[in-house]
């Protein structure tokens, strides 16, 4: 249930980039809730799905928006009260490496600057990652439990070539600095590993997965829960700052085996022992802030007409 005081300037929102699993699902759910949606895409392979939705729903408009083309971003944001922004790697550079950091930071900066220039924008929900929280030299010795106050260490990420964590950390820090300087109302969602049908061993989040598991900070999130979290954060006027978003902790041997079989279905299962089967690694990461915000949130309700 949305707060009674939720009163955006208009019921039009922009989803950028709408070409990924999260973006497309956000578009569908926002339409179901009665929003007018501007779906901004740079991956044209997704447009067939969106065009199908567009034919069925007059509240959907599709925009070609390149995060490096400022005018295209402005066009997609025009008349919108809110933006749901999630970075999708360019089609010609799908692999996370050191150079991706500059790409993601530039894209995030351009989008936030465009929001600052769009008078109707009331709130930005920025999708980041739990990898922007958990990678630090002192993660075992100094920190009891990770929460939204923690940031991954940039030098540590560079040293161990944690390019996904580095990109997410620098992009999020860049947007927070710009949002505060330009007076943009922004909230970030630091999501765990997204479990979706196309999840594979090549997902850059999985770099260092064994260490995350051993440290009790390997977390995943279902697509439906992640979408609900984004919409709840947008609609709740009390939301602020960062929100760690996950609904499952991989901290048992069975959990790890299940995830491994999903990532590499052709590989034989590893040998098991009784000690491994019963061992539970202590969880050292908290999503309490998000859980408290989402109490009473009604996923299927229609908010606006």
């Amino acid at each position: 249930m949305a707060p009674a005081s939720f009163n955006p300037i208009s019921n039009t929102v922009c989803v950028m980039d709408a070409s990924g699993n999260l973006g497309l699902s956000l578009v569908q759910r926002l339409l179901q809730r009665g929003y007018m949606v501007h779906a901004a895409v740079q991956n044209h392979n997704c447009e067939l799905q969106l065009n199908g939705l567009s034919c069925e729903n007059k509240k959907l408009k599709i925009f070609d928006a390149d995060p490096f083309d400022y005018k295209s971003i402005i066009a997609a944001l025009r008349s919108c009260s809110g933006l749901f922004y999630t970075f999708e790697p360019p089609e010609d550079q799908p692999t996370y490496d050191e150079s991706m950091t500059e790409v993601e930071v530039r894209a995030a900066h351009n989008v936030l600057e465009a929001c600052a220039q769009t008078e109707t924008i009331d709130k930005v929900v920025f999708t980041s990652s739990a990898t922007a929280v958990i990678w630090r030299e002192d993660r075992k010795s100094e920190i009891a439990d990770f929460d939204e106050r923690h940031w991954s260490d940039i030098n540590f990420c560079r040293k161990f070539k944690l390019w996904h964590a580095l990109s997410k950390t620098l992009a999020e820090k860049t947007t927070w600095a710009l949002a505060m300087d330009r007076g943009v109302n922004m909230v970030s969602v630091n999501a765990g590993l997204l479990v979706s049908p196309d999840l594979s061993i090549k997902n850059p989040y999985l770099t260092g997965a064994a260490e995350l598991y051993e440290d009790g900070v390997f977390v995943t999130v279902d697509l439906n829960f992640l979408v609900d979290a984004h919409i709840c954060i947008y609609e709740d006027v009390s939301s602020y700052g960062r929100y760690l978003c996950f609904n499952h902790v991989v901290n048992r041997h069975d959990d790890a085996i299940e995830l491994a079989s999903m990532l590499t279905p052709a590989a034989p299962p590893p040998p098991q022992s009784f000690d491994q089967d019963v061992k539970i690694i202590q969880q050292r990461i908290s999503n309490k802030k998000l859980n408290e915000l989402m109490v009473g949130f009604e996923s299927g309700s229609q908010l606006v007409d």
Side-chain angles (χ1 to χ4, degrees):
M1 182 171 60
S5 55
F6 176 69
N7 187 26
I9 297 172
S10 76
N11 67 345
T12 303
V13 295
C14 178
V15 177
M16 183 187 300
D17 188 322
S19 61
N21 283 323
L22 174 58
L24 184 58
S25 296
L26 273 169
V27 169
Q28 293 170 327
R29 192 75 59 81
L30 288 163
L31 289 172
Q32 290 168 4
R33 289 176 79 80
Y35 286 94
M36 297 278 294
V37 179
H38 290 188
V41 298
Q42 60 170 327
N43 182 352
H44 299 289
N45 293 331
C46 176
E47 284 198 35
L48 286 176
Q49 291 175 284
L50 287 170
N51 282 327
L53 286 174
S54 183
C55 293
E56 299 169 6
N57 198 315
K58 294 181 180 179
K59 291 188 173 183
L60 173 63
K61 293 182 179 180
I62 303 171
F63 293 80
D64 288 326
D66 183 340
F68 305 109
D69 180 357
Y70 189 75
K71 289 183 179 179
S72 71
I73 302 171
I74 289 288
L77 292 177
R78 189 169 293 121
S79 78
C80 291
S81 281
L83 168 67
F84 296 85
Y85 174 73
T86 179
F87 175 77
E88 292 290 338
E91 290 181 286
D92 59 352
Q93 192 178 357
T95 304
Y96 262 88
D97 53 23
E98 190 171 9
S99 63
M100 184 66 77
T101 300
E102 182 182 352
V103 173
E104 187 160 355
V105 169
R106 282 177 54 211
H109 183 277
N110 289 347
V111 170
L112 258 291
E113 181 60 39
C115 288
Q117 296 291 339
T118 304
E119 292 184 358
T120 55
I121 290 291
D122 183 58
K123 194 172 193 176
V124 175
V125 181
F126 180 89
T127 309
S128 184
S129 172
T131 60
V133 174
I134 52 184
W135 284 112
R136 300 163 58 99
E137 192 83 55
D138 60 356
R139 68 186 187 281
K140 296 182 179 180
S141 58
E142 299 295 330
I143 300 174
D145 291 299
F146 283 89
D147 60 26
E148 291 81 3
R149 295 170 296 179
H150 297 106
W151 286 90
S152 291
D153 182 270
I154 292 169
N155 292 328
F156 181 86
C157 292
R158 281 204 176 97
K159 178 179 179 182
F160 292 99
K161 299 182 179 180
L162 300 165
W163 305 130
H164 183 269
L166 181 65
S167 294
K168 295 302 179 184
T169 304
L170 287 175
E172 189 187 347
K173 285 195 170 189
T174 296
T175 52
W176 274 120
L178 186 58
M180 288 186 283
D181 180 62
R182 302 302 301 276
V184 176
N185 178 19
M186 188 182 97
V187 184
S188 68
V189 182
N190 293 80
L193 174 67
L194 177 58
V195 178
S196 60
D198 62 351
L199 179 64
S200 76
I201 195 69
K202 296 180 180 179
N203 190 300
Y205 188 109
L206 291 166
T207 304
E211 289 81 0
L212 297 181
Y213 173 72
E214 293 166 2
D215 294 344
V217 295
F218 193 174
V219 291
T220 66
V221 63
D222 296 332
L223 182 57
N224 285 335
F225 184 81
L226 183 58
V227 170
D228 283 349
H230 277 74
I231 295 175
C232 176
I233 286 168
Y234 176 69
E235 293 178 356
D236 197 318
V237 294
S238 70
S239 65
Y240 69 97
R242 309 169 83 202
Y243 286 87
L244 273 163
C245 180
F246 58 90
N247 59 350
H248 184 65
V249 182
V250 182
N251 63 346
R252 299 182 306 141
H253 184 67
D254 287 349
D255 297 332
I257 295 298
E258 182 180 353
L259 181 60
S261 64
M262 186 187 307
L263 295 170
T264 53
Q272 295 184 338
S273 70
F274 178 76
D275 288 343
Q276 285 179 319
D277 290 344
V278 299
K279 183 180 179 182
I280 299 177
I281 295 173
Q282 181 181 352
Q283 178 180 337
R284 296 180 53 242
I285 187 169
S286 172
N287 59 352
K288 179 181 178 181
K289 183 182 176 186
L290 178 62
N291 288 342
E292 290 177 347
L293 186 77
M294 293 186 69
V295 171
F297 176 73
E298 296 178 6
S299 173
S301 63
Q302 181 166 325
L303 179 67
V304 294
D305 298 319

